[in-house]
Amino acid sequence: MIENMDPLTLGAVVGIFTVMILFSGIPIAFGLCVVSLVFLVAAEGVQIIEVYAETFYSGINSFILLSIPMFILMGMAVAHSPAGKDLYTGLDRWLWRLPGGLVISNIGACAVFAALSGSSPATCAAIGTMGIPEMRKRGYSARLATGCIAAGGTLGVLIPPSIVLIVYGLATGTSIGRLFLAGVIPGILLAFLFMFWAYIHAYYIDKDSAARLKDRTSPTLKEKLEVLPRILPFLAIVAGVLYVLYGGVATPSEASGVGAFLVFVMIAVVYKIYQPKKIWDIVKISMKESVMIMFIIAASYIFAFSLSTLYVTQSIAQVVVDMGLNKWLLFFYINIFLLVCGFFLPPVAVIVMTSSILLPILTDFGFDPYWFAIVFTINMEIGLITPPVGLNLYIIKGITPDVSLGEILKGSIPFIGMMILCILILCIFPEIVTWLPDKLMGKDAGF
Amino acid sequence: MIDKYLKITKKIATACGVFAAASIMLSIVIVTELVLERYIFGNAITWQPELVTHLLVASTFIGSAYVFAENGHVNMDYFYTFLSEKGVTILKISTSILCLIFFLVLFYVSYEIVSEAFVKNYDTGTIWGPPLWIPYSSMLIGAMLMTMAYIGELLRLGRRLKELS
């Protein structure tokens, strides 16, 4: 029956079936494997299963993918050491004078910690555990305190090194170094937009608390300086890893592998974390995260392969191109589609599953794949603070059990507005994304 | 009997976790050695990228049973809140059967692939060129472990359903 269906109808059937299977509560990775297997066998016969298994295997049989567990290890080692606390204290002492200072320094701490850990939940947990009680103690509303950390945590997927951008690079064949560079300025811009909203909220909405914030004593220079020796080595490692990546000195896997090694040396030297039990805990938690992501990548890869074998990918791309839509209207629809996907699925699954369909369409309409990667990632960030998945919301809820999930969500909504504003700014000024990679790597390098 | 089976699968899953974590740790050491070898001593690289890639694949397939035991594979369970406990159990049984079928198929095909590579003495086709059946067997072992894990899951869920009925 399936072989007589036209690819578009088949695409719709696969889509509906996939949604039903995934909503049944089956692990996402296994659900995608089941859907691909069913449709491939139905269309091509049982003899396809050998190709299926080999394709599934080859989905993760890549040296570049090693950068995923390595970056996760780097991040987890930092997240499970007192580096987060030191970073938080350091930024608070340096930024205390700024208006809305504590909230702004919390967002700043999220941005820097995100760069160190590359993980959104780890950032939320590490900075939120210290930052939220502190902000509330100093008079900020629970809504602002929780919302700013939930949003600040999402910066982890945009500011390099970012696992999401690595997977995008692999799925689309774009340069990971160039993607990382493309994420730098938009990441900083987004952090500033978050800070801007925090300032507005702190001073114009939480008026009463603003008055209470004035009587804070200034930290001494000694206090400001004492924390630096502990956090600077970690920042230096991340800077070093990114430098060798951008400079094309080493591949992402090599750079991240050495980065992970150095982070382990640093936590041993700075925080005396070298006991086998503690190291084992870090490795175990990183392995869990890495295996989960890698399995999703393999499953999404086989899912994309089956769509392509069934000619669904090519047909959808052709139909969209033939529709003759206005470039920006198409872009708008794609954003809505990605947002909806991001509400339910983890970013890596969305990327691997959809990039083979979306990228040919977008390049056909003249969009830059690097610019699109950043817009894509911001869409995925929104999914992290919106229900029903909204991982960051649940982490914040875990840290602050007395604040309701609804209240945390209300605090996060204005920050979602800031993310949409950021996408709009990037649409009007795409150079914000492309300028830095063009400047440092040359216009055509990295393709 | 069921408890004994569940206990054994849990123990095996823990051993898988240890293997996967050790593979990742070993990868860090090998990559660091690779970088020293390539950029400091200027030597050619032969076996290192391939070995760490095989370790990565092995840790994913074999570690999957551990991650499953720890409930670490993400899923979308929003509809569970609308269902009774019995309804959730029935739904979980249905999805577990689907997964069991998938892993049985993968186990069968992996076995075919591994035995073909072994009998025909294929290698990976690289300079280092280890026998191909070794890296492929991680998929076979992974599929076998997941099959065992899902049999255990179905036994557990079946017992729960019986209690609820």
Side-chain angles (χ1 to χ4, degrees):
Chain A
M1 191 177 81
I2 274 186
E3 58 269 28
N4 299 328
M5 258 187 213
D6 82 280
L8 277 183
T9 320
L10 184 58
V13 174
V14 176
I16 293 166
F17 192 68
T18 309
V19 170
M20 279 168 58
I21 286 279
L22 294 185
F23 271 102
S24 69
I26 196 169
I28 289 169
F30 307 158
L32 293 174
C33 291
V34 169
V35 174
S36 328
L37 184 65
V38 168
F39 282 94
L40 272 179
V41 170
E44 307 283 323
V46 195
Q47 70 278 8
I48 192 86
I49 55 172
E50 193 165 330
V51 180
Y52 175 93
E54 277 166 357
T55 312
F56 185 56
Y57 182 91
S58 63
I60 48 170
N61 186 26
S62 151
F63 180 58
I64 307 172
L65 279 172
L66 184 73
S67 55
I68 293 176
M70 294 298 114
F71 275 127
I72 292 176
L73 264 172
M74 254 176 90
M76 289 295 178
V78 174
H80 285 79
S81 70
K85 185 168 174 281
D86 283 340
L87 189 68
Y88 175 79
T89 317
L91 279 168
D92 182 36
R93 285 177 189 171
W94 283 92
L95 299 174
W96 76 281
R97 202 188 281 274
L98 283 175
L102 190 60
V103 186
I104 290 179
S105 62
N106 266 284
I107 295 173
C110 281
V112 179
F113 196 83
L116 284 171
S117 73
S119 158
S120 175
T123 306
C124 267
I127 304 298
T129 312
M130 288 158 288
I132 297 173
E134 192 64 25
M135 281 188 277
R136 293 176 72 193
K137 202 171 81 192
R138 302 232 192 121
Y140 291 99
S141 65
R143 195 179 284 188
L144 177 61
T146 53
C148 80
I149 298 289
T154 68
L155 292 168
V157 296
L158 182 60
I159 295 177
S162 147
I163 305 286
V164 171
L165 288 177
I166 294 174
V167 177
Y168 180 93
L170 289 167
T172 58
T174 42
S175 147
I176 293 169
R178 201 177 177 89
L179 283 168
F180 278 1
L181 271 183
V184 174
I185 298 178
I188 295 170
L189 170 71
L190 195 54
F192 274 113
L193 286 172
F194 288 166
M195 290 175 181
F196 170 71
W197 172 255
Y199 174 74
I200 301 280
H201 192 124
Y203 273 79
Y204 295 97
I205 300 174
D206 291 350
K207 277 184 189 157
D208 298 343
S209 61
R212 275 189 279 156
L213 294 168
K214 285 184 179 150
D215 28 271
R216 230 192 119 188
T217 49
S218 152
T220 61
L221 186 65
K222 187 174 169 259
E223 281 176 329
K224 282 182 178 177
L225 292 176
E226 69 179 8
V227 66
L228 289 182
R230 292 201 295 274
I231 53 172
L232 285 179
F234 291 100
L235 294 175
I237 293 172
V238 174
V241 165
L242 297 180
Y243 172 77
V244 294
L245 262 181
Y246 303 146
V249 180
T251 63
S253 300
E254 292 166 350
S256 57
V258 176
F261 180 76
L262 291 177
V263 166
F264 274 100
V265 173
M266 275 307 154
I267 60 167
V269 173
V270 179
Y271 297 111
K272 310 278 176 268
I273 296 177
Y274 46 74
Q275 303 81 348
K277 167 88 180 65
K278 287 187 178 165
I279 299 288
W280 182 248
D281 285 343
I282 295 170
V283 178
K284 202 170 65 178
I285 197 163
S286 311
M287 178 272 290
K288 264 174 71 177
E289 176 108 2
S290 151
V291 168
M292 184 267 287
I293 291 180
M294 293 292 291
F295 222 100
I296 288 183
I297 291 174
S300 310
Y301 186 73
I302 192 76
F303 184 78
F305 167 78
S306 61
L307 287 186
S308 171
T309 308
L310 300 172
Y311 214 67
V312 171
T313 313
Q314 300 84 331
S315 307
I316 293 178
Q318 193 57 50
V319 166
V320 174
V321 172
D322 290 347
M323 275 159 81
L325 283 176
N326 171 293
K327 180 177 169 177
W328 292 105
L329 191 64
L330 170 84
F331 178 72
F332 175 74
Y333 288 143
I334 288 179
N335 268 282
I336 300 290
F337 170 71
L338 290 176
L339 264 180
V340 173
C341 289
F343 284 167
F344 300 104
L345 291 165
V348 286
V350 181
I351 290 170
V352 186
M353 283 162 65
T354 62
S355 60
S356 59
I357 302 179
L358 294 181
L359 208 70
I361 301 175
L362 284 158
T363 41
D364 211 73
F365 276 81
F367 288 102
D368 179 84
Y370 294 92
W371 173 84
F372 180 66
I374 303 307
V375 173
F376 198 129
T377 308
I378 299 174
N379 270 302
M380 295 301 110
E381 282 187 75
I382 296 176
L384 289 169
I385 51 170
T386 44
V389 177
L391 193 57
N392 289 13
L393 298 177
Y394 298 107
I395 288 171
I396 303 284
K397 174 72 187 151
I399 299 170
T400 55
D402 61 314
V403 183
S404 73
L405 207 56
E407 194 70 6
I408 301 171
L409 180 62
K410 278 183 198 155
S412 309
I413 287 171
F415 291 100
I416 297 175
M418 290 296 131
M419 292 182 192
I420 295 171
L421 178 64
C422 185
I423 294 180
L424 287 175
I425 294 174
L426 297 185
C427 289
I428 301 167
F429 306 106
E431 298 80 11
I432 294 173
V433 177
T434 54
W435 179 79
L436 191 63
D438 283 352
K439 186 89 183 157
L440 293 182
M441 294 176 84
K443 265 196 180 313
D444 302 314
F447 279 96
Chain B
M1 187 67 188
I2 294 178
D3 285 327
K4 207 170 176 187
Y5 181 83
L6 292 176
K7 220 170 160 182
I8 293 169
T9 47
K10 186 144 180 63
K11 271 192 181 155
I12 296 173
T14 310
C16 294
V18 172
F19 171 82
S23 300
I24 291 178
M25 277 311 269
L26 186 59
S27 300
I28 297 184
V29 177
I30 297 171
V31 170
T32 309
E33 193 273 338
L34 178 160
V35 169
L36 288 176
E37 196 84 26
R38 176 180 279 174
Y39 301 104
I40 308 289
F41 304 117
N43 294 334
I45 298 305
T46 49
W47 53 274
Q48 295 92 332
E50 198 178 339
L51 178 59
V52 288
T53 309
H54 295 324
L55 283 174
L56 176 69
V57 174
S59 74
T60 304
F61 281 120
I62 297 172
S64 185
Y66 172 77
V67 177
F68 180 74
E70 296 272 307
N71 210 8
H73 286 291
V74 283
N75 63 339
M76 303 203 290
D77 51 6
Y78 326 119
F79 284 131
Y80 288 179
T81 45
F82 303 109
L83 297 171
S84 63
E85 199 185 342
K86 195 175 170 186
V88 173
T89 313
I90 293 172
L91 191 57
K92 280 185 178 173
I93 290 177
S94 320
T95 55
S96 298
I97 291 173
L98 282 179
C99 292
L100 178 63
I101 295 171
F102 165 70
F103 282 110
L104 273 172
V105 172
L106 192 65
F107 175 68
Y108 169 74
V109 193
S110 308
Y111 175 74
E112 295 272 301
I113 294 174
V114 170
S115 52
E116 189 187 346
F118 184 78
V119 171
K120 296 187 178 166
N121 216 4
Y122 290 147
D123 64 31
T124 55
T126 54
I127 310 167
W128 182 38
L132 189 59
W133 67 267
I134 300 177
Y136 268 149
S137 45
S138 62
M139 186 160 67
L140 175 71
I141 298 168
M144 185 185 73
L145 293 166
M146 287 308 295
T147 305
M148 284 169 62
Y150 268 108
I151 291 172
E153 179 74 354
L154 280 167
L155 289 172
R156 194 183 62 78
L157 289 168
R159 190 166 63 182
R160 183 82 194 119
L161 187 66
K162 223 173 181 179
E163 284 166 11
L164 291 169
S165 315

PDB file of all heavy atoms in Angstrom, chain A residues 206-226:
ATOM      1  N   ASP A 206       8.967  46.097  40.155  1.00  0.00           N
ATOM      2  CA  ASP A 206       9.167  45.821  41.588  1.00  0.00           C
ATOM      3  C   ASP A 206       9.648  47.099  42.282  1.00  0.00           C
ATOM      4  O   ASP A 206      10.745  47.150  42.824  1.00  0.00           O
ATOM      5  CB  ASP A 206      10.236  44.730  41.782  1.00  0.00           C
ATOM      6  CG  ASP A 206       9.754  43.374  41.312  1.00  0.00           C
ATOM      7  OD1 ASP A 206       8.560  43.240  41.026  1.00  0.00           O
ATOM      8  OD2 ASP A 206      10.584  42.449  41.233  1.00  0.00           O
ATOM      9  N   LYS A 207       8.794  48.139  42.291  1.00  0.00           N
ATOM     10  CA  LYS A 207       9.259  49.446  42.793  1.00  0.00           C
ATOM     11  C   LYS A 207       9.691  49.400  44.259  1.00  0.00           C
ATOM     12  O   LYS A 207      10.680  49.998  44.643  1.00  0.00           O
ATOM     13  CB  LYS A 207       8.137  50.469  42.629  1.00  0.00           C
ATOM     14  CG  LYS A 207       8.077  51.048  41.231  1.00  0.00           C
ATOM     15  CD  LYS A 207       7.014  52.105  41.160  1.00  0.00           C
ATOM     16  CE  LYS A 207       6.825  52.508  39.710  1.00  0.00           C
ATOM     17  NZ  LYS A 207       5.524  53.082  39.460  1.00  0.00           N
ATOM     18  N   ASP A 208       8.932  48.677  45.083  1.00  0.00           N
ATOM     19  CA  ASP A 208       9.233  48.665  46.516  1.00  0.00           C
ATOM     20  C   ASP A 208      10.600  48.062  46.802  1.00  0.00           C
ATOM     21  O   ASP A 208      11.364  48.561  47.614  1.00  0.00           O
ATOM     22  CB  ASP A 208       8.176  47.841  47.274  1.00  0.00           C
ATOM     23  CG  ASP A 208       6.811  48.461  47.120  1.00  0.00           C
ATOM     24  OD1 ASP A 208       6.776  49.644  46.731  1.00  0.00           O
ATOM     25  OD2 ASP A 208       5.814  47.762  47.378  1.00  0.00           O
ATOM     26  N   SER A 209      10.863  46.978  46.108  1.00  0.00           N
ATOM     27  CA  SER A 209      12.128  46.303  46.384  1.00  0.00           C
ATOM     28  C   SER A 209      13.303  47.157  45.934  1.00  0.00           C
ATOM     29  O   SER A 209      14.368  47.126  46.536  1.00  0.00           O
ATOM     30  CB  SER A 209      12.163  44.940  45.704  1.00  0.00           C
ATOM     31  OG  SER A 209      12.055  45.086  44.323  1.00  0.00           O
ATOM     32  N   ALA A 210      13.097  47.958  44.889  1.00  0.00           N
ATOM     33  CA  ALA A 210      14.190  48.794  44.388  1.00  0.00           C
ATOM     34  C   ALA A 210      14.719  49.711  45.475  1.00  0.00           C
ATOM     35  O   ALA A 210      15.924  49.902  45.621  1.00  0.00           O
ATOM     36  CB  ALA A 210      13.711  49.611  43.196  1.00  0.00           C
ATOM     37  N   ALA A 211      13.807  50.241  46.272  1.00  0.00           N
ATOM     38  CA  ALA A 211      14.223  51.161  47.329  1.00  0.00           C
ATOM     39  C   ALA A 211      15.095  50.453  48.365  1.00  0.00           C
ATOM     40  O   ALA A 211      16.073  51.009  48.861  1.00  0.00           O
ATOM     41  CB  ALA A 211      12.982  51.735  47.998  1.00  0.00           C
ATOM     42  N   ARG A 212      14.754  49.203  48.635  1.00  0.00           N
ATOM     43  CA  ARG A 212      15.483  48.443  49.663  1.00  0.00           C
ATOM     44  C   ARG A 212      16.897  48.071  49.223  1.00  0.00           C
ATOM     45  O   ARG A 212      17.742  47.734  50.025  1.00  0.00           O
ATOM     46  CB  ARG A 212      14.702  47.174  50.003  1.00  0.00           C
ATOM     47  CG  ARG A 212      13.639  47.412  51.049  1.00  0.00           C
ATOM     48  CD  ARG A 212      13.067  46.110  51.486  1.00  0.00           C
ATOM     49  NE  ARG A 212      12.063  45.631  50.539  1.00  0.00           N
ATOM     50  CZ  ARG A 212      11.733  44.371  50.396  1.00  0.00           C
ATOM     51  NH1 ARG A 212      12.355  43.461  51.085  1.00  0.00           N
ATOM     52  NH2 ARG A 212      10.792  44.008  49.544  1.00  0.00           N
ATOM     53  N   LEU A 213      17.101  48.096  47.901  1.00  0.00           N
ATOM     54  CA  LEU A 213      18.379  47.608  47.389  1.00  0.00           C
ATOM     55  C   LEU A 213      19.515  48.614  47.536  1.00  0.00           C
ATOM     56  O   LEU A 213      20.666  48.296  47.306  1.00  0.00           O
ATOM     57  CB  LEU A 213      18.233  47.241  45.911  1.00  0.00           C
ATOM     58  CG  LEU A 213      17.301  46.066  45.642  1.00  0.00           C
ATOM     59  CD1 LEU A 213      16.994  45.953  44.177  1.00  0.00           C
ATOM     60  CD2 LEU A 213      17.938  44.786  46.149  1.00  0.00           C
ATOM     61  N   LYS A 214      19.136  49.853  47.918  1.00  0.00           N
ATOM     62  CA  LYS A 214      20.162  50.900  47.907  1.00  0.00           C
ATOM     63  C   LYS A 214      21.190  50.774  49.033  1.00  0.00           C
ATOM     64  O   LYS A 214      22.315  51.208  48.901  1.00  0.00           O
ATOM     65  CB  LYS A 214      19.492  52.271  47.948  1.00  0.00           C
ATOM     66  CG  LYS A 214      18.890  52.590  46.589  1.00  0.00           C
ATOM     67  CD  LYS A 214      18.297  53.966  46.553  1.00  0.00           C
ATOM     68  CE  LYS A 214      17.726  54.230  45.156  1.00  0.00           C
ATOM     69  NZ  LYS A 214      16.601  55.122  45.188  1.00  0.00           N
ATOM     70  N   ASP A 215      20.756  50.189  50.183  1.00  0.00           N
ATOM     71  CA  ASP A 215      21.690  50.185  51.309  1.00  0.00           C
ATOM     72  C   ASP A 215      22.606  48.966  51.333  1.00  0.00           C
ATOM     73  O   ASP A 215      22.560  48.176  52.257  1.00  0.00           O
ATOM     74  CB  ASP A 215      20.931  50.320  52.643  1.00  0.00           C
ATOM     75  CG  ASP A 215      19.535  49.774  52.557  1.00  0.00           C
ATOM     76  OD1 ASP A 215      18.659  50.572  52.185  1.00  0.00           O
ATOM     77  OD2 ASP A 215      19.347  48.561  52.796  1.00  0.00           O
ATOM     78  N   ARG A 216      23.375  48.814  50.303  1.00  0.00           N
ATOM     79  CA  ARG A 216      24.337  47.703  50.290  1.00  0.00           C
ATOM     80  C   ARG A 216      25.734  48.255  50.419  1.00  0.00           C
ATOM     81  O   ARG A 216      26.056  49.266  49.806  1.00  0.00           O
ATOM     82  CB  ARG A 216      24.213  46.963  48.952  1.00  0.00           C
ATOM     83  CG  ARG A 216      24.070  45.486  49.120  1.00  0.00           C
ATOM     84  CD  ARG A 216      24.252  44.786  47.811  1.00  0.00           C
ATOM     85  NE  ARG A 216      25.390  43.894  47.886  1.00  0.00           N
ATOM     86  CZ  ARG A 216      25.877  43.265  46.844  1.00  0.00           C
ATOM     87  NH1 ARG A 216      25.357  43.459  45.649  1.00  0.00           N
ATOM     88  NH2 ARG A 216      26.890  42.460  46.979  1.00  0.00           N
ATOM     89  N   THR A 217      26.564  47.593  51.226  1.00  0.00           N
ATOM     90  CA  THR A 217      27.921  48.108  51.376  1.00  0.00           C
ATOM     91  C   THR A 217      28.803  47.611  50.231  1.00  0.00           C
ATOM     92  O   THR A 217      28.617  46.508  49.732  1.00  0.00           O
ATOM     93  CB  THR A 217      28.531  47.653  52.719  1.00  0.00           C
ATOM     94  OG1 THR A 217      28.302  46.260  52.821  1.00  0.00           O
ATOM     95  CG2 THR A 217      27.929  48.394  53.881  1.00  0.00           C
ATOM     96  N   SER A 218      29.739  48.442  49.886  1.00  0.00           N
ATOM     97  CA  SER A 218      30.608  48.121  48.758  1.00  0.00           C
ATOM     98  C   SER A 218      31.607  47.026  49.144  1.00  0.00           C
ATOM     99  O   SER A 218      32.197  47.072  50.210  1.00  0.00           O
ATOM    100  CB  SER A 218      31.342  49.399  48.371  1.00  0.00           C
ATOM    101  OG  SER A 218      32.563  49.083  47.799  1.00  0.00           O
ATOM    102  N   PRO A 219      31.808  46.034  48.294  1.00  0.00           N
ATOM    103  CA  PRO A 219      32.850  45.040  48.599  1.00  0.00           C
ATOM    104  C   PRO A 219      34.236  45.678  48.453  1.00  0.00           C
ATOM    105  O   PRO A 219      34.415  46.576  47.628  1.00  0.00           O
ATOM    106  CB  PRO A 219      32.625  43.958  47.541  1.00  0.00           C
ATOM    107  CG  PRO A 219      31.765  44.561  46.496  1.00  0.00           C
ATOM    108  CD  PRO A 219      31.124  45.790  47.047  1.00  0.00           C
ATOM    109  N   THR A 220      35.186  45.231  49.261  1.00  0.00           N
ATOM    110  CA  THR A 220      36.523  45.820  49.191  1.00  0.00           C
ATOM    111  C   THR A 220      37.276  45.275  47.964  1.00  0.00           C
ATOM    112  O   THR A 220      36.882  44.255  47.389  1.00  0.00           O
ATOM    113  CB  THR A 220      37.345  45.452  50.441  1.00  0.00           C
ATOM    114  OG1 THR A 220      37.458  44.023  50.448  1.00  0.00           O
ATOM    115  CG2 THR A 220      36.690  45.944  51.711  1.00  0.00           C
ATOM    116  N   LEU A 221      38.349  45.949  47.607  1.00  0.00           N
ATOM    117  CA  LEU A 221      39.145  45.513  46.449  1.00  0.00           C
ATOM    118  C   LEU A 221      39.709  44.117  46.697  1.00  0.00           C
ATOM    119  O   LEU A 221      39.765  43.284  45.788  1.00  0.00           O
ATOM    120  CB  LEU A 221      40.278  46.513  46.193  1.00  0.00           C
ATOM    121  CG  LEU A 221      41.094  46.252  44.932  1.00  0.00           C
ATOM    122  CD1 LEU A 221      40.239  46.428  43.684  1.00  0.00           C
ATOM    123  CD2 LEU A 221      42.314  47.174  44.859  1.00  0.00           C
ATOM    124  N   LYS A 222      40.075  43.877  47.978  1.00  0.00           N
ATOM    125  CA  LYS A 222      40.627  42.563  48.327  1.00  0.00           C
ATOM    126  C   LYS A 222      39.591  41.468  48.059  1.00  0.00           C
ATOM    127  O   LYS A 222      39.889  40.431  47.483  1.00  0.00           O
ATOM    128  CB  LYS A 222      41.024  42.569  49.811  1.00  0.00           C
ATOM    129  CG  LYS A 222      41.755  41.318  50.239  1.00  0.00           C
ATOM    130  CD  LYS A 222      42.259  41.446  51.668  1.00  0.00           C
ATOM    131  CE  LYS A 222      42.735  40.105  52.149  1.00  0.00           C
ATOM    132  NZ  LYS A 222      41.800  39.402  53.001  1.00  0.00           N
ATOM    133  N   GLU A 223      38.346  41.785  48.484  1.00  0.00           N
ATOM    134  CA  GLU A 223      37.260  40.819  48.252  1.00  0.00           C
ATOM    135  C   GLU A 223      37.052  40.584  46.756  1.00  0.00           C
ATOM    136  O   GLU A 223      36.766  39.484  46.312  1.00  0.00           O
ATOM    137  CB  GLU A 223      35.959  41.339  48.873  1.00  0.00           C
ATOM    138  CG  GLU A 223      35.884  41.135  50.371  1.00  0.00           C
ATOM    139  CD  GLU A 223      34.632  41.750  50.981  1.00  0.00           C
ATOM    140  OE1 GLU A 223      34.139  42.770  50.457  1.00  0.00           O
ATOM    141  OE2 GLU A 223      34.175  41.219  51.993  1.00  0.00           O
ATOM    142  N   LYS A 224      37.198  41.686  46.012  1.00  0.00           N
ATOM    143  CA  LYS A 224      36.998  41.569  44.565  1.00  0.00           C
ATOM    144  C   LYS A 224      38.089  40.712  43.920  1.00  0.00           C
ATOM    145  O   LYS A 224      37.838  39.970  42.981  1.00  0.00           O
ATOM    146  CB  LYS A 224      37.010  42.958  43.924  1.00  0.00           C
ATOM    147  CG  LYS A 224      35.728  43.750  44.101  1.00  0.00           C
ATOM    148  CD  LYS A 224      35.872  45.074  43.376  1.00  0.00           C
ATOM    149  CE  LYS A 224      34.620  45.899  43.476  1.00  0.00           C
ATOM    150  NZ  LYS A 224      34.775  47.204  42.843  1.00  0.00           N
ATOM    151  N   LEU A 225      39.301  40.858  44.425  1.00  0.00           N
ATOM    152  CA  LEU A 225      40.432  40.183  43.776  1.00  0.00           C
ATOM    153  C   LEU A 225      40.616  38.726  44.212  1.00  0.00           C
ATOM    154  O   LEU A 225      41.100  37.909  43.440  1.00  0.00           O
ATOM    155  CB  LEU A 225      41.741  40.954  44.053  1.00  0.00           C
ATOM    156  CG  LEU A 225      41.861  42.322  43.393  1.00  0.00           C
ATOM    157  CD1 LEU A 225      43.158  42.992  43.834  1.00  0.00           C
ATOM    158  CD2 LEU A 225      41.823  42.223  41.870  1.00  0.00           C
ATOM    159  N   GLU A 226      40.174  38.416  45.449  1.00  0.00           N
ATOM    160  CA  GLU A 226      40.529  37.098  45.988  1.00  0.00           C
ATOM    161  C   GLU A 226      39.921  35.925  45.214  1.00  0.00           C
ATOM    162  O   GLU A 226      40.459  34.826  45.201  1.00  0.00           O
ATOM    163  CB  GLU A 226      40.179  37.000  47.476  1.00  0.00           C
ATOM    164  CG  GLU A 226      38.694  36.974  47.744  1.00  0.00           C
ATOM    165  CD  GLU A 226      38.387  36.853  49.225  1.00  0.00           C
ATOM    166  OE1 GLU A 226      39.305  36.932  50.048  1.00  0.00           O
ATOM    167  OE2 GLU A 226      37.190  36.697  49.542  1.00  0.00           O
TER     168      GLU A 226
END
